[in-house]
Structure formats: C-alpha cells, structure tokens
Amino acid sequence: MTYCVGLRLDRGLVFMADTRTNAGVDNVSTFRKMHSWVVPAERFVTILSAGNLATTQAVISLLEERSKAMGERNPSILDQPSMYQIAALVGATLREVIAVHGTAGQKAESFNATLIVGGQVAPGPPRLFLIYPEGNFIEASQDTPFFQIGETKYGRPILVRAFDPAMDFADAVKLLLVSFDSTIKANLSVGLPLDFQVYEADSYRVGVERRIGPGNAYFAELSEGWGEALRRAFASLPPFDLHG
Amino acid sequence: MTYCVGLRLDRGLVFMADTRTNAGVDNVSTFRKMHSWVVPAERFVTILSAGNLATTQAVISLLEERSKAMGERNPSILDQPSMYQIAALVGATLREVIAVHGTAGQKAESFNATLIVGGQVAPGPPRLFLIYPEGNFIEASQDTPFFQIGETKYGRPILVRAFDPAMDFADAVKLLLVSFDSTIKANLSVGLPLDFQVYEADSYRVGVERRIGPGNAYFAELSEGWGEALRRAFASLPPFDLHG
C-alpha cells in the first residue's frame, strides 16, 4: 500500500508521501512517490501516486518522456495551457497504461493506481486534483480541501478535526506528520522515510522539500509526544457515568 | 458495514457495537448486533457480529434455537464445557451458514461475516475470541487485548494509544465512545445508536448495559469536546521548523 496526502491551503499547496512499496511482506522497497515539473515563472506540477508500482512508474515515465523528447512533444505536461488540462492529460495517460497492462498477457490482481495532481499554471490559481484509475478526476474545493490516497483511514480523523485552510506551512507539515504517524503505527505497508514538499502560491518553483527518515529527531519527538498528548486529551474529557 | 469492539480488561470485558445496517445507501436500518446468553453463577457469553446480516442473524438464530429446543439441545452454546468450546461451536455454526448460503441458488457478492465472542464459563477466566468466516478463531492476549470487526481503521489509532488493561469500566466505555465517534465522523455506514455492555469477571451476569442514542447528551459533549481536545493536543506539540 502507500499513504499520500495533498492539502490545499490559502497560501499554497503541501504534499506528503511515504516511500514504502511491497509485493507481499518480504519484498519491501523504497521508491519515491512524489514527482515534480517546474517551468520558472510559468508552471509547477507535482504528482503523488498510490497503487500498482509498475503502473505509476509507467505513467510518470510517459509524462517525463513526453516532456523531454522533442519529436514527441505533444501531448506534454509542459504544453498544457491549464491545470485542468494537465489533470486531463495525466488521467488519460493513467487510463492508457492500465488498459495496456490490464489486457496484455496474464491478468494480475490489479494494475490500478490513483494519483493526486497539484500545481499552478500562470495566470491561474493553485489547484489540486484526485485522479481515478478510470482517468476521470475531481478537484479540491472549499468543502473538500485535501485529498488522501492509499491507506487513508487511520490518518483521516486528525485531518478532519485539525485541518484549517488558513494554517501556515509549518503547521500543515506538522499535521501531516501526525496523520502519517497514526498510519505507520497501524499499518505495516506504510513506512518511513516520508517525502514532503511545500508550494507557495505564485512562486512557480518547489518550495521547501525534505525527506524525513527513521533517524529524524523531530519525528520521533512528535510520535512520542502525540501518544502522550492523546492520552492527556482523553483524560481531559468528562468521565462517563456508568451508573447514571 | 458495522463497527464492533470487544475489550479484555483486568477486571472483565467490555463490548460495544453500532446498530446500522445497510444494503446500498438508501436501505438503512437499525439492527442489534450484540447478543448475550447467561446461566446465573455458571456462564456468560456475548457475541458481536459484522458482515452479511442474513448470515449473522442465521448464526444467532441457530445458536438460540439450539439453546432452547429440548429435542435438539446438542450442540448447544449452553452445554459447552468452556469458552474455547463455545468459540469452536460458534465458528462451526458460522462456517456452516456461509457454506449453505454460498452454494445455494444465486451467488451474492459475499455472505461473509466476522464475530467477536467473549464471556466466561466457570471455573475458567473471562476470554475473548475473534471468529473468522472460515470458522477458525484467535484469542485475545496480553499483547493483543482487544478485537475490532467491521469498519476498524478510523477508530484504531486512539485504541492503540490510550487502551490500558488496568483501566476501569467507565474509562473503557469512554474510550470506546471516542473510537466510535471517530468512525462515525468518517464513515456513513457506521451510525448511532450504540449498544454497550460491561461484564465484571466472575459475576456470570450482564453488568451495565445501555443504548447510546442520537439524543445522548454525554455523547454529544464527548464528540464536540474530543475535536477541541485533539486540536489542543496538536497545538501542544513542538512546532515544525520548516527552514531548520
């Protein structure tokens, strides 16, 4: 499995992804699930991927190739006039890859994948999309200002309760780390290191980008502190009257 | 779906189950998912059920019938000499029901069900089992002192962090209510009212048993207070240094 989140804040976008992939429990590897494209002063695009690794790598490779090979520049992620068109191109590429793998040779259990695509193409605003295996997609809105893909359930309650679109980037990263910590504690298929990336609106470049590894002191402090803080929060609630 | 939890505490057992069942989103009903059998001074058994409602009702009915009809008293849940034998009987009944439904007539998507069985048969200690659709089962231990069935993921992080086998019954019910609240907030298929039941070791009778409905003032206070407490807990953690 995998766990990835994209947040749409008032001041920009924040992305986080784990790096664990596994085929069974004894074939565990680390792969980057976050990929970015930048054209200074014009566009910034980041894709997070969850699902079949062969599928997501093929999608990223196709999008990469198409953005580099001169003879085959169209359709290219760098040529699309808007984030909406980029989401449509990514969706079409995903559907194409799944269709090719899904019909050729042996049937695997699933070639499915789900993607989060976020970014900004001038002069539009930053936008965030969730792309389904069928190639269609939905966009984040005021009502649904974040998307999760992969192993989404364990880390959702804290996002639902503590997310605020007005929060600053440092708080957003802290919130994501808590959400990922809850997931990692509960599910073996999601693991460190975690990649995160901050995109400030109208900057058209990758902002702070870092990898949080197993030795990260802040993450260890957060993980331990969160357990303690949760127990304090629980104790602070009024007691239940068993005989009331 | 469904959400049920059974806890094994030092002082006994606590069970909680929601009551929502749905076939699609417009066929939503309330059904009790917690059933108990008592023989004073000798045995106490409670079963929680998740999965196909026809299957779980058939299992409960078979166990009920067998415990009542004189001509067919064997095998009966009231005749088994130990909790282990009761778990084995419940597992065999579950497997039998699934096998009959699964091979007769039209194939439905799934007739599967999962059960939690807890209780005590004198002179043994209280025991707690998780029964799989295949009829086999596992028992709660020091290392795994609780079982969840149904929609388990949203409510798991708080159980993992705050459960303590030494906690009293009131705290255990409060913990379960927080876990259920997180699940209800995130998943439409789990809903109020909630049934809970407390079993005090060596009492051989149902302890406090109550239904928490939509108008319950304590649950409303807990639900709102938990959101606030989570946000305070989050704020109490050290800030992330984005440029560190």
Side-chain angles (χ1 to χ4, degrees), chain B residues 119-158:
Chain B
Q120 185 174 16
V121 174
R127 297 174 73 175
L128 186 68
F129 297 89
L130 175 68
I131 317 259
Y132 296 104
E134 292 78 7
N136 56 353
F137 50 88
I138 57 175
E139 181 173 4
S141 64
Q142 291 285 35
D143 294 329
T144 305
F146 60 84
F147 288 131
Q148 306 168 279
I149 54 177
E151 187 58 61
T152 62
K153 296 186 178 183
Y154 302 108
R156 188 169 179 82
I158 182 64

Side-chain angles (χ1 to χ4, degrees), chain A residues 242, chain B residues 6-15 125-128 140-142 144-146 159 162-176 197-201:
Chain A
L242 205 54
Chain B
L7 303 180
R8 200 186 76 162
L9 301 174
D10 294 344
R11 64 194 75 205
L13 303 168
V14 181
F15 304 92
R127 297 174 73 175
L128 186 68
S141 64
Q142 291 285 35
T144 305
F146 60 84
L159 288 183
F163 177 80
D164 175 359
M167 70 202 314
D168 64 27
F169 288 132
D171 267 358
V173 172
K174 179 178 148 186
L175 175 62
L176 289 177
Q197 190 185 77
V198 164
Y199 174 72
E200 195 176 337

Side-chain angles (χ1 to χ4, degrees), chain A residues 151 153-154 157 161 169-170 174-175 181 208 210 218 221 223 225-227 230-231 234 237-240 242, chain B residues 151 153-154 157 161 169-170 174-175 181 208 210 218 221 223 226-227 230-231 234 237-242:
Chain A
E151 188 57 63
K153 295 184 179 185
Y154 303 108
R161 303 276 195 164
F169 287 133
K174 179 178 147 187
L175 175 62
D181 177 55
V208 177
R210 218 178 301 161
Y218 178 76
E221 187 185 350
S223 179
W226 182 239
L230 268 186
R231 283 185 287 273
F234 177 71
L237 294 178
F240 182 71
L242 205 54
Chain B
E151 187 58 61
K153 296 186 178 183
Y154 302 108
R161 302 276 197 168
F169 288 132
K174 179 178 148 186
L175 175 62
D181 178 55
V208 177
R210 217 178 300 163
Y218 178 76
E221 187 185 351
S223 179
W226 182 239
L230 269 185
R231 283 185 287 273
F234 178 71
L237 295 176
F240 182 70
D241 181 3
L242 205 55

